[in-house]
């Protein structure tokens, strides 16, 4: 008996993508099913960057289709396609940017900037085109973390070209002022500078722009919520009760302005002694998990307090590029995939599909 397309559809509907928890039909990943004699071919188009897991997903689908009766050959073509998703109402989109991810914390010292740069690098390692904007005007750190020096170019005298570091497009006030120059600016000047850095930079076809926010819930965060098209926010905290108190405030701020919370990253979750291997929860245990349960958001991942993370970021080669095959880099990549999957499940942006309405006198 010849195999039918409905049998292939049913098989793919019963098969769950282990990364998303959704089947390949309702998740709209399976496309272009073709049957020639007893050979089946199908395209799997993932909505998230997945270089680390693409081969395993491909093998999973191929094995399922080969198990069907009357199938003698299977071809599974796999890739990913990142699309733009909806943002706050009334906020104009950024040229050259599909999705904006805000990385925030309620307080300083929780490793937010290190998490931001490794998240951006992990998204890039998984196959996405990624940029990072250092929105901390008073204390920019991304130039050092990415090992970038010099000044950005301006081809037309109005816009600025992003700097490049480890494959990321990057922009920071740190590229425009001397390292030891303090930014003694009031709130309106700071928010104006942020908008200029964001909109005057010629971002080039980014799937994701990661914005490394300063800690707190002040002027810059409010400007971001009101004027910047944010797809979703990631909250960084430590398990410590004091850090969690402030992280909750940051989460509630994004909720109030209608920006989806993509999840929480628990930094400095445990410390493993480099001499004896003893593991200790020096900042407490389970704090982020409890916060996730309270607000019904996902724990994207937990990272250790490890001296290599700090040393590599300080030296301009963050962990994801310094040790791409390490356990810590794998954790960052898993966090990046979960973040991208959360975005993929949000509503799509359809603004470009609406026609312009022109009213004329006749």
């Amino acid at each position: 008996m010849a195999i039918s397309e409905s049998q292939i559809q049913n098989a793919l509907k019963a098969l769950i993508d282990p990364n998303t928890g959704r089947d390949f039909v309702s998740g709209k990943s399976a496309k272009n099913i073709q049957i020639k004699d007893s050979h089946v071919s199908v395209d799997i188009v993932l909505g998230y960057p997945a270089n680390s897991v693409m081969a395993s997903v491909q093998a999973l689908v191929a094995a399922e289709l080969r198990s069907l009766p009357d199938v003698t050959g299977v071809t599974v073509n796999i890739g990913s396609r990142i699309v733009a998703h909806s943002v706050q109402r009334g906020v104009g989109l950024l040229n050259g940017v599909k999705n904006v991810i805000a990385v925030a914390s309620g307080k300083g010292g929780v490793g937010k900037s290190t998490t931001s740069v490794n998240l951006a690098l992990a998204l890039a390692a998984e196959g996405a085109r990624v940029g990072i904007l250092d929105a901390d005007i008073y204390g920019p750190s991304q130039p050092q973390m990415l090992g970038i020096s010099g000044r950005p170019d301006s081809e037309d005298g109005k816009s600025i070209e992003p700097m490049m570091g480890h494959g990321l497009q990057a922009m920071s006030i740190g590229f425009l002022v001397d390292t030891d120059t303090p930014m003694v600016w009031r709130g309106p000047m700071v928010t104006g500078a942020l908008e200029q850095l964001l909109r005057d930079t010629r971002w080039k076809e980014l799937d994701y722009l990661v914005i490394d926010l300063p800690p707190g819930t002040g002027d810059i965060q409010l400007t971001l919520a009101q004027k910047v098209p944010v797809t979703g926010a990631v909250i960084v905290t430590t398990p410590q009760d004091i850090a969690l108190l402030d992280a909750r405030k940051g989460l509630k701020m994004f909720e109030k302005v209608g920006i989806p919370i993509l999840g929480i990253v628990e930094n400095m979750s445990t410390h493993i002694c480099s001499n004896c291997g003893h593991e200790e929860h020096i900042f407490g245990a389970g704090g982020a998990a409890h916060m996730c349960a309270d607000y019904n958001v996902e724990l994207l991942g937990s990272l250790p307090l490890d001296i290599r993370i700090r040393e590599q970021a300080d030296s301009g080669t963050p962990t994801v590029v310094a040790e791409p095959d390490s356990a810590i880099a794998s954790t960052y990549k898993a966090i990046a995939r979960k973040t991208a999957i959360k975005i993929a499940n949000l509503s799509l942006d359809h603004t470009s599909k609406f026609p312009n309405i022109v009213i004329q006198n006749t």
Side-chain angles (χ1 to χ4, degrees), residues 294-323:
D294 289 343
Y295 293 101
N296 192 30
V297 297
E298 183 173 355
L299 179 61
L300 297 172
S302 299
L303 292 155
L305 178 61
D306 191 299
I307 191 172
R308 290 172 298 172
I309 298 176
R310 193 274 301 166
E311 289 176 339
Q312 289 158 354
D314 283 353
S315 68
T317 312
T319 303
V320 169
V321 290
E323 297 184 49

PDB file of all heavy atoms in Angstrom, residues 294-323:
ATOM      1  N   ASP A 294       5.924  32.083  41.521  1.00  0.00           N
ATOM      2  CA  ASP A 294       5.045  33.169  41.963  1.00  0.00           C
ATOM      3  C   ASP A 294       4.472  33.951  40.789  1.00  0.00           C
ATOM      4  O   ASP A 294       3.326  34.418  40.842  1.00  0.00           O
ATOM      5  CB  ASP A 294       5.815  34.133  42.880  1.00  0.00           C
ATOM      6  CG  ASP A 294       6.135  33.516  44.240  1.00  0.00           C
ATOM      7  OD1 ASP A 294       5.502  32.495  44.583  1.00  0.00           O
ATOM      8  OD2 ASP A 294       7.023  34.045  44.933  1.00  0.00           O
ATOM      9  N   TYR A 295       5.267  34.124  39.718  1.00  0.00           N
ATOM     10  CA  TYR A 295       4.847  34.978  38.602  1.00  0.00           C
ATOM     11  C   TYR A 295       4.546  34.186  37.325  1.00  0.00           C
ATOM     12  O   TYR A 295       4.299  34.778  36.277  1.00  0.00           O
ATOM     13  CB  TYR A 295       5.919  36.034  38.312  1.00  0.00           C
ATOM     14  CG  TYR A 295       6.064  37.042  39.430  1.00  0.00           C
ATOM     15  CD1 TYR A 295       7.098  36.936  40.345  1.00  0.00           C
ATOM     16  CD2 TYR A 295       5.133  38.074  39.582  1.00  0.00           C
ATOM     17  CE1 TYR A 295       7.225  37.855  41.385  1.00  0.00           C
ATOM     18  CE2 TYR A 295       5.260  38.991  40.609  1.00  0.00           C
ATOM     19  CZ  TYR A 295       6.306  38.867  41.514  1.00  0.00           C
ATOM     20  OH  TYR A 295       6.421  39.778  42.545  1.00  0.00           O
ATOM     21  N   ASN A 296       4.566  32.870  37.435  1.00  0.00           N
ATOM     22  CA  ASN A 296       4.248  31.999  36.295  1.00  0.00           C
ATOM     23  C   ASN A 296       5.125  32.320  35.086  1.00  0.00           C
ATOM     24  O   ASN A 296       4.635  32.499  33.961  1.00  0.00           O
ATOM     25  CB  ASN A 296       2.761  32.121  35.930  1.00  0.00           C
ATOM     26  CG  ASN A 296       2.320  31.036  34.956  1.00  0.00           C
ATOM     27  OD1 ASN A 296       2.867  29.933  34.963  1.00  0.00           O
ATOM     28  ND2 ASN A 296       1.348  31.342  34.114  1.00  0.00           N
ATOM     29  N   VAL A 297       6.424  32.411  35.315  1.00  0.00           N
ATOM     30  CA  VAL A 297       7.380  32.606  34.232  1.00  0.00           C
ATOM     31  C   VAL A 297       8.398  31.467  34.271  1.00  0.00           C
ATOM     32  O   VAL A 297       8.476  30.717  35.244  1.00  0.00           O
ATOM     33  CB  VAL A 297       8.102  33.977  34.323  1.00  0.00           C
ATOM     34  CG1 VAL A 297       7.115  35.113  34.177  1.00  0.00           C
ATOM     35  CG2 VAL A 297       8.868  34.096  35.630  1.00  0.00           C
ATOM     36  N   GLU A 298       9.168  31.341  33.206  1.00  0.00           N
ATOM     37  CA  GLU A 298      10.083  30.204  33.073  1.00  0.00           C
ATOM     38  C   GLU A 298      11.463  30.530  33.633  1.00  0.00           C
ATOM     39  O   GLU A 298      11.987  31.634  33.460  1.00  0.00           O
ATOM     40  CB  GLU A 298      10.209  29.806  31.605  1.00  0.00           C
ATOM     41  CG  GLU A 298      11.090  28.580  31.381  1.00  0.00           C
ATOM     42  CD  GLU A 298      11.081  28.099  29.940  1.00  0.00           C
ATOM     43  OE1 GLU A 298      10.307  28.661  29.128  1.00  0.00           O
ATOM     44  OE2 GLU A 298      11.847  27.176  29.623  1.00  0.00           O
ATOM     45  N   LEU A 299      12.056  29.550  34.309  1.00  0.00           N
ATOM     46  CA  LEU A 299      13.457  29.646  34.698  1.00  0.00           C
ATOM     47  C   LEU A 299      14.281  29.199  33.496  1.00  0.00           C
ATOM     48  O   LEU A 299      14.306  28.019  33.143  1.00  0.00           O
ATOM     49  CB  LEU A 299      13.747  28.757  35.912  1.00  0.00           C
ATOM     50  CG  LEU A 299      15.200  28.740  36.410  1.00  0.00           C
ATOM     51  CD1 LEU A 299      15.638  30.134  36.848  1.00  0.00           C
ATOM     52  CD2 LEU A 299      15.365  27.732  37.543  1.00  0.00           C
ATOM     53  N   LEU A 300      14.936  30.139  32.847  1.00  0.00           N
ATOM     54  CA  LEU A 300      15.659  29.839  31.613  1.00  0.00           C
ATOM     55  C   LEU A 300      16.930  29.034  31.867  1.00  0.00           C
ATOM     56  O   LEU A 300      17.374  28.280  31.000  1.00  0.00           O
ATOM     57  CB  LEU A 300      16.014  31.137  30.890  1.00  0.00           C
ATOM     58  CG  LEU A 300      14.828  31.991  30.426  1.00  0.00           C
ATOM     59  CD1 LEU A 300      15.321  33.333  29.896  1.00  0.00           C
ATOM     60  CD2 LEU A 300      14.013  31.263  29.376  1.00  0.00           C
ATOM     61  N   GLY A 301      17.506  29.196  33.044  1.00  0.00           N
ATOM     62  CA  GLY A 301      18.718  28.454  33.360  1.00  0.00           C
ATOM     63  C   GLY A 301      19.412  29.022  34.582  1.00  0.00           C
ATOM     64  O   GLY A 301      19.127  30.143  35.013  1.00  0.00           O
ATOM     65  N   SER A 302      20.323  28.228  35.143  1.00  0.00           N
ATOM     66  CA  SER A 302      21.102  28.632  36.313  1.00  0.00           C
ATOM     67  C   SER A 302      22.579  28.516  35.990  1.00  0.00           C
ATOM     68  O   SER A 302      23.023  27.517  35.405  1.00  0.00           O
ATOM     69  CB  SER A 302      20.759  27.749  37.517  1.00  0.00           C
ATOM     70  OG  SER A 302      19.401  27.863  37.866  1.00  0.00           O
ATOM     71  N   LEU A 303      23.338  29.516  36.379  1.00  0.00           N
ATOM     72  CA  LEU A 303      24.765  29.568  36.091  1.00  0.00           C
ATOM     73  C   LEU A 303      25.569  29.580  37.381  1.00  0.00           C
ATOM     74  O   LEU A 303      25.140  30.160  38.383  1.00  0.00           O
ATOM     75  CB  LEU A 303      25.085  30.824  35.272  1.00  0.00           C
ATOM     76  CG  LEU A 303      24.525  30.803  33.856  1.00  0.00           C
ATOM     77  CD1 LEU A 303      24.325  32.224  33.345  1.00  0.00           C
ATOM     78  CD2 LEU A 303      25.438  30.019  32.931  1.00  0.00           C
ATOM     79  N   PRO A 304      26.737  28.952  37.375  1.00  0.00           N
ATOM     80  CA  PRO A 304      27.535  28.899  38.600  1.00  0.00           C
ATOM     81  C   PRO A 304      28.324  30.180  38.831  1.00  0.00           C
ATOM     82  O   PRO A 304      28.516  30.987  37.911  1.00  0.00           O
ATOM     83  CB  PRO A 304      28.482  27.725  38.331  1.00  0.00           C
ATOM     84  CG  PRO A 304      28.688  27.777  36.842  1.00  0.00           C
ATOM     85  CD  PRO A 304      27.360  28.197  36.270  1.00  0.00           C
ATOM     86  N   LEU A 305      28.779  30.357  40.050  1.00  0.00           N
ATOM     87  CA  LEU A 305      29.753  31.400  40.359  1.00  0.00           C
ATOM     88  C   LEU A 305      31.121  30.792  40.061  1.00  0.00           C
ATOM     89  O   LEU A 305      31.649  30.005  40.840  1.00  0.00           O
ATOM     90  CB  LEU A 305      29.644  31.808  41.832  1.00  0.00           C
ATOM     91  CG  LEU A 305      30.639  32.858  42.333  1.00  0.00           C
ATOM     92  CD1 LEU A 305      30.478  34.165  41.590  1.00  0.00           C
ATOM     93  CD2 LEU A 305      30.462  33.074  43.833  1.00  0.00           C
ATOM     94  N   ASP A 306      31.664  31.131  38.907  1.00  0.00           N
ATOM     95  CA  ASP A 306      32.881  30.497  38.417  1.00  0.00           C
ATOM     96  C   ASP A 306      33.874  31.572  38.016  1.00  0.00           C
ATOM     97  O   ASP A 306      33.526  32.487  37.252  1.00  0.00           O
ATOM     98  CB  ASP A 306      32.558  29.588  37.222  1.00  0.00           C
ATOM     99  CG  ASP A 306      33.713  28.698  36.834  1.00  0.00           C
ATOM    100  OD1 ASP A 306      34.786  29.227  36.471  1.00  0.00           O
ATOM    101  OD2 ASP A 306      33.552  27.460  36.876  1.00  0.00           O
ATOM    102  N   ILE A 307      35.091  31.470  38.492  1.00  0.00           N
ATOM    103  CA  ILE A 307      36.088  32.508  38.232  1.00  0.00           C
ATOM    104  C   ILE A 307      36.376  32.658  36.745  1.00  0.00           C
ATOM    105  O   ILE A 307      36.706  33.753  36.264  1.00  0.00           O
ATOM    106  CB  ILE A 307      37.390  32.215  39.013  1.00  0.00           C
ATOM    107  CG1 ILE A 307      38.318  33.438  38.952  1.00  0.00           C
ATOM    108  CG2 ILE A 307      38.076  30.952  38.483  1.00  0.00           C
ATOM    109  CD1 ILE A 307      39.531  33.310  39.861  1.00  0.00           C
ATOM    110  N   ARG A 308      36.198  31.580  35.967  1.00  0.00           N
ATOM    111  CA  ARG A 308      36.483  31.669  34.533  1.00  0.00           C
ATOM    112  C   ARG A 308      35.519  32.614  33.826  1.00  0.00           C
ATOM    113  O   ARG A 308      35.909  33.309  32.881  1.00  0.00           O
ATOM    114  CB  ARG A 308      36.413  30.278  33.900  1.00  0.00           C
ATOM    115  CG  ARG A 308      37.542  29.348  34.314  1.00  0.00           C
ATOM    116  CD  ARG A 308      37.282  27.948  33.803  1.00  0.00           C
ATOM    117  NE  ARG A 308      36.065  27.397  34.385  1.00  0.00           N
ATOM    118  CZ  ARG A 308      35.511  26.252  34.000  1.00  0.00           C
ATOM    119  NH1 ARG A 308      36.062  25.550  33.017  1.00  0.00           N
ATOM    120  NH2 ARG A 308      34.414  25.800  34.581  1.00  0.00           N
ATOM    121  N   ILE A 309      34.264  32.643  34.246  1.00  0.00           N
ATOM    122  CA  ILE A 309      33.288  33.543  33.619  1.00  0.00           C
ATOM    123  C   ILE A 309      33.746  34.984  33.773  1.00  0.00           C
ATOM    124  O   ILE A 309      33.731  35.770  32.811  1.00  0.00           O
ATOM    125  CB  ILE A 309      31.894  33.347  34.234  1.00  0.00           C
ATOM    126  CG1 ILE A 309      31.392  31.918  33.983  1.00  0.00           C
ATOM    127  CG2 ILE A 309      30.905  34.367  33.671  1.00  0.00           C
ATOM    128  CD1 ILE A 309      30.054  31.618  34.645  1.00  0.00           C
ATOM    129  N   ARG A 310      34.184  35.331  34.984  1.00  0.00           N
ATOM    130  CA  ARG A 310      34.642  36.701  35.240  1.00  0.00           C
ATOM    131  C   ARG A 310      35.926  37.003  34.489  1.00  0.00           C
ATOM    132  O   ARG A 310      36.057  38.051  33.829  1.00  0.00           O
ATOM    133  CB  ARG A 310      34.829  36.889  36.753  1.00  0.00           C
ATOM    134  CG  ARG A 310      35.000  38.345  37.196  1.00  0.00           C
ATOM    135  CD  ARG A 310      36.431  38.834  37.135  1.00  0.00           C
ATOM    136  NE  ARG A 310      37.296  38.027  37.976  1.00  0.00           N
ATOM    137  CZ  ARG A 310      38.617  38.048  37.914  1.00  0.00           C
ATOM    138  NH1 ARG A 310      39.229  38.828  37.005  1.00  0.00           N
ATOM    139  NH2 ARG A 310      39.355  37.284  38.696  1.00  0.00           N
ATOM    140  N   GLU A 311      36.893  36.092  34.541  1.00  0.00           N
ATOM    141  CA  GLU A 311      38.178  36.332  33.887  1.00  0.00           C
ATOM    142  C   GLU A 311      38.022  36.465  32.376  1.00  0.00           C
ATOM    143  O   GLU A 311      38.649  37.339  31.750  1.00  0.00           O
ATOM    144  CB  GLU A 311      39.141  35.183  34.212  1.00  0.00           C
ATOM    145  CG  GLU A 311      39.629  35.172  35.652  1.00  0.00           C
ATOM    146  CD  GLU A 311      40.500  33.960  35.953  1.00  0.00           C
ATOM    147  OE1 GLU A 311      40.410  32.955  35.211  1.00  0.00           O
ATOM    148  OE2 GLU A 311      41.253  34.020  36.944  1.00  0.00           O
ATOM    149  N   GLN A 312      37.210  35.629  31.790  1.00  0.00           N
ATOM    150  CA  GLN A 312      37.044  35.655  30.331  1.00  0.00           C
ATOM    151  C   GLN A 312      36.316  36.909  29.872  1.00  0.00           C
ATOM    152  O   GLN A 312      36.665  37.500  28.839  1.00  0.00           O
ATOM    153  CB  GLN A 312      36.317  34.385  29.893  1.00  0.00           C
ATOM    154  CG  GLN A 312      37.201  33.142  30.009  1.00  0.00           C
ATOM    155  CD  GLN A 312      36.441  31.843  30.104  1.00  0.00           C
ATOM    156  OE1 GLN A 312      35.212  31.828  30.197  1.00  0.00           O
ATOM    157  NE2 GLN A 312      37.158  30.731  30.099  1.00  0.00           N
ATOM    158  N   ALA A 313      35.295  37.353  30.635  1.00  0.00           N
ATOM    159  CA  ALA A 313      34.597  38.592  30.275  1.00  0.00           C
ATOM    160  C   ALA A 313      35.527  39.792  30.418  1.00  0.00           C
ATOM    161  O   ALA A 313      35.551  40.683  29.563  1.00  0.00           O
ATOM    162  CB  ALA A 313      33.358  38.765  31.144  1.00  0.00           C
ATOM    163  N   ASP A 314      36.315  39.819  31.488  1.00  0.00           N
ATOM    164  CA  ASP A 314      37.240  40.932  31.703  1.00  0.00           C
ATOM    165  C   ASP A 314      38.299  41.008  30.616  1.00  0.00           C
ATOM    166  O   ASP A 314      38.782  42.092  30.269  1.00  0.00           O
ATOM    167  CB  ASP A 314      37.935  40.795  33.065  1.00  0.00           C
ATOM    168  CG  ASP A 314      37.028  41.198  34.225  1.00  0.00           C
ATOM    169  OD1 ASP A 314      35.925  41.700  33.961  1.00  0.00           O
ATOM    170  OD2 ASP A 314      37.431  41.008  35.389  1.00  0.00           O
ATOM    171  N   SER A 315      38.677  39.860  30.068  1.00  0.00           N
ATOM    172  CA  SER A 315      39.747  39.835  29.071  1.00  0.00           C
ATOM    173  C   SER A 315      39.245  40.107  27.657  1.00  0.00           C
ATOM    174  O   SER A 315      40.028  40.139  26.707  1.00  0.00           O
ATOM    175  CB  SER A 315      40.452  38.475  29.104  1.00  0.00           C
ATOM    176  OG  SER A 315      39.586  37.448  28.646  1.00  0.00           O
ATOM    177  N   GLY A 316      37.922  40.279  27.484  1.00  0.00           N
ATOM    178  CA  GLY A 316      37.370  40.579  26.169  1.00  0.00           C
ATOM    179  C   GLY A 316      37.022  39.359  25.341  1.00  0.00           C
ATOM    180  O   GLY A 316      36.722  39.485  24.154  1.00  0.00           O
ATOM    181  N   THR A 317      37.046  38.185  25.963  1.00  0.00           N
ATOM    182  CA  THR A 317      36.670  36.948  25.269  1.00  0.00           C
ATOM    183  C   THR A 317      35.722  36.167  26.166  1.00  0.00           C
ATOM    184  O   THR A 317      36.151  35.276  26.904  1.00  0.00           O
ATOM    185  CB  THR A 317      37.914  36.091  24.930  1.00  0.00           C
ATOM    186  OG1 THR A 317      38.901  36.916  24.319  1.00  0.00           O
ATOM    187  CG2 THR A 317      37.556  34.957  23.986  1.00  0.00           C
ATOM    188  N   PRO A 318      34.432  36.487  26.150  1.00  0.00           N
ATOM    189  CA  PRO A 318      33.485  35.830  27.058  1.00  0.00           C
ATOM    190  C   PRO A 318      33.427  34.315  26.861  1.00  0.00           C
ATOM    191  O   PRO A 318      33.863  33.771  25.835  1.00  0.00           O
ATOM    192  CB  PRO A 318      32.152  36.493  26.695  1.00  0.00           C
ATOM    193  CG  PRO A 318      32.525  37.810  26.124  1.00  0.00           C
ATOM    194  CD  PRO A 318      33.798  37.551  25.371  1.00  0.00           C
ATOM    195  N   THR A 319      32.884  33.635  27.843  1.00  0.00           N
ATOM    196  CA  THR A 319      32.934  32.176  27.937  1.00  0.00           C
ATOM    197  C   THR A 319      32.451  31.466  26.683  1.00  0.00           C
ATOM    198  O   THR A 319      33.046  30.474  26.256  1.00  0.00           O
ATOM    199  CB  THR A 319      32.105  31.714  29.149  1.00  0.00           C
ATOM    200  OG1 THR A 319      32.604  32.355  30.326  1.00  0.00           O
ATOM    201  CG2 THR A 319      32.191  30.212  29.329  1.00  0.00           C
ATOM    202  N   VAL A 320      31.369  31.947  26.067  1.00  0.00           N
ATOM    203  CA  VAL A 320      30.792  31.253  24.913  1.00  0.00           C
ATOM    204  C   VAL A 320      31.778  31.166  23.751  1.00  0.00           C
ATOM    205  O   VAL A 320      31.761  30.195  22.996  1.00  0.00           O
ATOM    206  CB  VAL A 320      29.477  31.930  24.469  1.00  0.00           C
ATOM    207  CG1 VAL A 320      28.997  31.392  23.126  1.00  0.00           C
ATOM    208  CG2 VAL A 320      28.397  31.724  25.526  1.00  0.00           C
ATOM    209  N   VAL A 321      32.684  32.158  23.621  1.00  0.00           N
ATOM    210  CA  VAL A 321      33.695  32.085  22.566  1.00  0.00           C
ATOM    211  C   VAL A 321      35.036  31.594  23.105  1.00  0.00           C
ATOM    212  O   VAL A 321      35.820  31.011  22.359  1.00  0.00           O
ATOM    213  CB  VAL A 321      33.876  33.446  21.851  1.00  0.00           C
ATOM    214  CG1 VAL A 321      32.674  33.773  21.010  1.00  0.00           C
ATOM    215  CG2 VAL A 321      34.153  34.555  22.840  1.00  0.00           C
ATOM    216  N   ALA A 322      35.313  31.809  24.390  1.00  0.00           N
ATOM    217  CA  ALA A 322      36.580  31.354  24.970  1.00  0.00           C
ATOM    218  C   ALA A 322      36.606  29.844  25.121  1.00  0.00           C
ATOM    219  O   ALA A 322      37.627  29.197  24.855  1.00  0.00           O
ATOM    220  CB  ALA A 322      36.814  32.018  26.322  1.00  0.00           C
ATOM    221  N   GLU A 323      35.502  29.262  25.585  1.00  0.00           N
ATOM    222  CA  GLU A 323      35.400  27.815  25.776  1.00  0.00           C
ATOM    223  C   GLU A 323      34.058  27.334  25.226  1.00  0.00           C
ATOM    224  O   GLU A 323      33.162  26.983  25.982  1.00  0.00           O
ATOM    225  CB  GLU A 323      35.521  27.460  27.255  1.00  0.00           C
ATOM    226  CG  GLU A 323      36.856  27.811  27.898  1.00  0.00           C
ATOM    227  CD  GLU A 323      36.938  27.336  29.339  1.00  0.00           C
ATOM    228  OE1 GLU A 323      36.626  26.169  29.621  1.00  0.00           O
ATOM    229  OE2 GLU A 323      37.304  28.157  30.201  1.00  0.00           O
TER     230      GLU A 323
END
